[in-house]
Amino acid sequence: MAAEIPSHVIKAYQEGLAGSQAQNQHAINALKELNEQTPSPITLAMLGSAETTQARYTNQPWQKMKFAELGISKLNKAVKQVKKAPYPQQARVYITAGCTFSQVPKMMNRAEHGDHLLKQVIAERSEFDKLNNQLKKMTYRCAAMAADKLEDQPRAKSMLEKSETFAQLLKSEKE
């Protein structure tokens, strides 16, 4: 699904999400360049997510808001662009946006939108089942975070349990 994005850029993006400021900046630079050369909703969504994540790495409140708003704007644009795309593309963008929205501070009022996007991905059961286990695990984990932010503890628990099921599947696949 992210075939047009080189693996080293995906790795930098993932490391940036996991806490590496340098890798996050590397991902932003690479994704900007890729999006200028060959625009795609997936690239735009990843760029928006990385830019939103950049807010974590600054201490200035106005900078945090600037980065978050810039990234959220790109994520919203990617979601609009992919509405009529095939499910795998749509799912990737919705998962990226949903996960990002579920992690921004509650005051930004994005948890509802993130939750909605993730529910849409999961609702297409026959298509969702075709996604790789890593994406399914991530979808459920992010849905649990969104439900938690929305103070829906039973749903958060259910989604977390489903995420753990896929985590165990992935672990057994590696063994």
Side-chain angles (χ1 to χ4, degrees):
M1 283 183 282
E4 72 272 8
I5 301 170
S7 60
H8 72 279
V9 176
I10 292 172
K11 185 174 190 243
Y13 167 78
Q14 291 169 336
E15 289 176 9
L17 293 179
S20 171
Q21 181 178 3
Q23 288 302 308
N24 193 65
Q25 188 59 54
H26 175 70
I28 288 170
N29 296 340
L31 289 165
K32 276 183 184 175
E33 188 175 315
L34 283 170
N35 199 50
E36 287 170 8
Q37 293 170 359
T38 314
S40 87
I42 293 173
T43 305
L44 185 62
M46 288 178 68
L47 176 58
S49 177
E51 287 178 346
T52 303
T53 300
Q54 193 174 19
R56 286 187 208 160
Y57 303 122
T58 184
N59 293 325
Q60 303 295 327
W62 61 272
Q63 279 287 80
K64 284 183 181 293
M65 286 303 291
K66 176 185 158 199
F67 290 136
E69 288 174 357
L70 184 66
I72 287 169
S73 173
K74 284 184 175 70
L75 285 161
N76 285 330
K77 186 176 179 182
V79 167
K80 286 177 186 166
Q81 287 178 356
V82 81
K83 282 200 187 280
K84 303 259 190 243
Y87 177 85
Q89 249 191 327
Q90 191 179 72
R92 186 69 186 127
V93 170
Y94 283 16
I95 293 166
T96 301
C99 286
T100 304
F101 292 162
S102 69
Q103 294 179 53
V104 298
K106 194 172 183 176
M107 67 175 223
M108 297 188 84
N109 297 317
R110 293 289 182 231
E112 291 88 359
H113 191 202
D115 189 52
H116 174 73
L117 292 170
L118 295 165
K119 282 179 178 176
Q120 281 188 282
V121 171
I122 295 167
E124 294 289 330
R125 179 54 67 196
S126 64
E127 291 295 320
F128 182 71
D129 288 343
K130 295 176 189 173
L131 296 178
N132 71 50
N133 287 338
Q134 183 66 37
L135 267 179
K136 288 187 258 189
K137 179 188 101 170
M138 188 169 73
T139 304
Y140 284 125
R141 183 179 56 81
C142 294
M145 286 190 288
D148 188 52
K149 275 218 173 105
L150 296 171
E151 299 176 8
D152 183 348
Q153 297 313 314
R155 187 163 175 275
K157 184 178 184 229
S158 170
M159 294 293 106
L160 195 55
E161 287 170 356
K162 289 178 180 184
S163 175
E164 289 301 316
T165 299
F166 284 102
Q168 292 301 320
L169 264 171
L170 288 164
K171 186 177 177 184
S172 68
E173 288 174 1
K174 289 181 181 178
E175 293 174 353

